[in-house]
Amino acid sequence: MAGNQLLRGKKDILVGTLNVRTIRESYKRDELGVCMRDSGVQILGIQEHRIVHSSEIEYQDLGSSYLITCSAWRTSNGAACGGVGMVLDKKTAFNSLTSVYRHDRRTMVANFAGNPVTTFMVTYSPTEGADIVEAEDYYESLSGAIDLIPATICCWLLEISTLMSHPTIGGHPITRVPQTGTVDY
């Protein structure tokens, strides 16, 4: 992890988010890396990778990019569930990465060099079938994660399934959830 600025003047970066619905098999991770390279995406937030590992954060070289994951978890019947991460292009995004951490099992935060620092947050909400307590706990934790980010350029890479049960994030009312998945508040 170096310290080259992620955002530089007029240079655009291409950012996305994807529910990968499992990339446990290595060929699926390799395919994700190839798709990143071919599409020109430099930062991709991923949800539901279902990779369980013992370390809090794990890095994997995918050739032209790096996969960074927070571990998925096991359900009561032993199935892998959830997991968030990012795929970062080696030339731009990974060289700008200064820190990455797991806020909770559903939220990962990455900081990139710049003035100000650029922060990306990847999060995966409980599905609409989750009970209200789980959804409320998630949004309370997400609010706490947002509150910990200092005044920076911040981008949230969200997959929000339980949004209608909780109309605010970080104390801010959510005013619009367009098809792109971005949230205005």
Side-chain angles (χ1 to χ4, degrees):
M1 292 186 280
N4 301 328
Q5 280 189 267
L6 180 64
L7 301 177
R8 294 183 211 125
K10 296 180 182 178
K11 186 174 177 162
D12 293 334
I13 62 169
L14 191 55
V15 176
T17 184
L18 179 66
N19 183 324
V20 293
R21 300 194 59 185
T22 192
I23 54 170
R24 285 188 305 228
E25 297 85 1
S26 63
Y27 77 89
K28 290 183 179 183
R29 294 189 297 272
D30 292 341
E31 182 179 3
L32 184 60
V34 169
C35 288
M36 284 271 302
R37 182 196 67 216
D38 292 350
S39 67
V41 172
Q42 290 140 325
I43 299 175
L44 181 68
I46 61 169
Q47 299 87 16
E48 208 174 346
H49 59 66
R50 298 183 186 157
I51 300 169
V52 177
H53 46 76
S54 58
S55 57
E56 191 166 293
I57 304 283
E58 206 167 84
Y59 295 78
Q60 182 180 355
D61 189 338
L62 300 179
S64 60
S65 57
Y66 276 101
L67 170 65
I68 306 171
T69 57
C70 292
S71 182
W73 58 91
R74 298 273 179 202
T75 63
S76 59
N77 65 357
C81 182
V84 293
M86 290 184 189
V87 185
L88 304 178
D89 172 84
K90 280 185 182 178
K91 291 180 186 174
T92 53
F94 189 76
N95 284 334
S96 301
L97 183 67
T98 58
S99 66
V100 61
Y101 65 92
R102 174 186 179 269
H103 175 74
D104 61 27
R105 72 182 193 170
R106 293 182 175 273
T107 305
M108 174 186 196
V109 179
N111 294 305
F112 296 87
N115 187 12
V117 170
T118 304
T119 301
F120 282 83
M121 181 182 297
V122 181
T123 189
Y124 172 60
S125 75
T127 63
E128 67 249 1
D131 64 47
I132 192 71
V133 172
E134 183 179 4
E136 292 292 335
D137 288 349
Y138 165 76
Y139 285 104
E140 187 174 314
S141 180
L142 180 59
S143 178
I146 292 168
D147 289 344
L148 291 174
I149 297 172
T152 63
I153 298 170
C154 187
C155 178
W156 294 278
L157 304 172
L158 307 167
E159 182 186 71
I160 306 267
S161 300
T162 57
L163 190 56
M164 301 317 289
S165 69
H166 199 288
T168 65
I169 294 179
H172 303 284
I174 297 171
T175 59
R176 178 175 64 95
V177 182
Q179 293 289 55
T180 61
T182 59
V183 177
D184 291 340
Y185 69 98

